[in-house]
Amino acid sequence: YNLERVIIASPAFWAEDLMKVLSNSDLKKKIVRATCSSADETAISEVLKRDEVKQVLQQQRFANELKLVEKLMTEISKKAKAVYGISDVEQAAESGAIETLVVSGKLIEKSRKKGEFARIDKIMKIADKTKAEIVIISSEHSGGKQLDGIGGNTVYGQIYLEKESKDNLPVGLSHDAILKNDIPQDSPIK
């Protein structure tokens, strides 16, 4: 396993006793200790509220978001499997072509203040209906700021967008489609 962090939570001194017998120094560096008052189901909730655990989870979230934004920027630079900008993202959603919808939390906040959230909400609902993953990115790190710099929204996935594709079967609706006639490979389905 490639563990980045290990959270050990226990009442009393159990975690400290465990640390004394661990010989793997690399593993010891990855351990975050948290205390809790019991060893039952309520302890999980208690541990998740601890500041040290919140900090570890936030760092992990930021790292995952940064990787996703870097992947998006690579795809955008290659003009490959990503689009950005509200109109292109909206078109991808309406075409059922979104695998992952990435939206900046700052964009959501700004659009709500301006009374313009309905359009973004519509895109998110369409993406959800087509089983796309929806990721809201924090603007508290460099990846989120980079996303905000290109408008605050992008999509990633099997993007198939052509200006002439309005009459074609949306990708998101084609999963269980049954063809009545043979068509050439890679041809659009009308």
Side-chain angles (χ1 to χ4, degrees):
Y1 297 102
N2 186 15
L3 302 173
E4 292 182 32
R5 292 282 189 212
V6 177
I7 299 171
I8 296 180
S10 72
F13 299 103
W14 185 86
E16 289 178 24
D17 291 343
L18 177 65
M19 292 298 286
K20 289 177 187 173
V21 297
L22 277 177
S23 59
N24 186 326
S25 61
D26 289 334
L27 179 60
K28 279 185 174 182
K29 291 175 188 174
K30 296 178 181 184
I31 291 176
V32 175
R33 289 183 281 180
T35 58
C36 53
S37 59
S38 66
D40 60 14
E41 287 118 21
T42 61
I44 294 172
S45 178
E46 182 183 351
V47 168
L48 289 174
K49 293 177 184 175
R50 304 274 312 166
D51 286 338
E52 59 272 23
V53 174
K54 284 181 184 177
Q55 184 179 4
V56 167
L57 294 174
Q58 185 177 35
Q59 288 171 352
Q60 187 61 45
R61 176 183 168 208
F62 284 177
N64 290 341
E65 289 179 0
L66 189 56
K67 286 178 191 172
L68 179 59
V69 171
E70 287 172 357
K71 185 177 183 181
L72 285 167
M73 294 303 172
T74 299
E75 294 300 326
I76 288 169
S77 70
K78 292 192 292 186
K79 295 186 170 126
K81 298 191 311 183
V83 296
Y84 65 96
I86 193 79
S87 295
D88 287 343
V89 170
E90 188 172 41
Q91 183 182 359
E94 289 171 351
S95 298
I98 296 177
E99 182 179 305
T100 304
L101 173 65
V102 181
V103 183
S104 159
K106 191 173 187 176
L107 175 69
I108 292 171
E109 183 183 327
K110 281 182 175 181
S111 65
R112 282 189 171 143
K113 285 180 183 176
K114 291 180 179 180
E116 299 171 353
F117 180 68
R119 189 173 183 192
I120 294 166
D121 188 47
K122 176 185 165 200
I123 293 169
M124 289 171 60
K125 285 178 180 174
I126 292 170
D128 185 52
K129 282 182 183 176
T130 60
K131 307 286 188 244
E133 179 183 7
I134 300 170
V135 181
I136 299 174
I137 301 281
S138 170
S139 296
E140 296 179 28
H141 54 76
S142 61
K145 290 174 184 165
Q146 194 173 14
L147 182 62
D148 287 333
I150 62 166
N153 58 72
T154 62
V155 296
Y156 172 78
Q158 302 304 316
I159 305 299
Y160 175 73
L161 294 176
E162 291 184 21
K163 300 299 178 199
E164 303 82 39
S165 68
K166 291 220 182 252
D167 297 325
N168 297 342
L169 178 66
V171 173
L173 300 177
S174 66
H175 179 66
D176 291 321
I178 298 172
L179 293 175
K180 292 183 177 182
N181 301 311
D182 289 340
I183 60 167
Q185 184 176 345
D186 298 324
S187 295
I189 301 171
K190 299 203 179 258

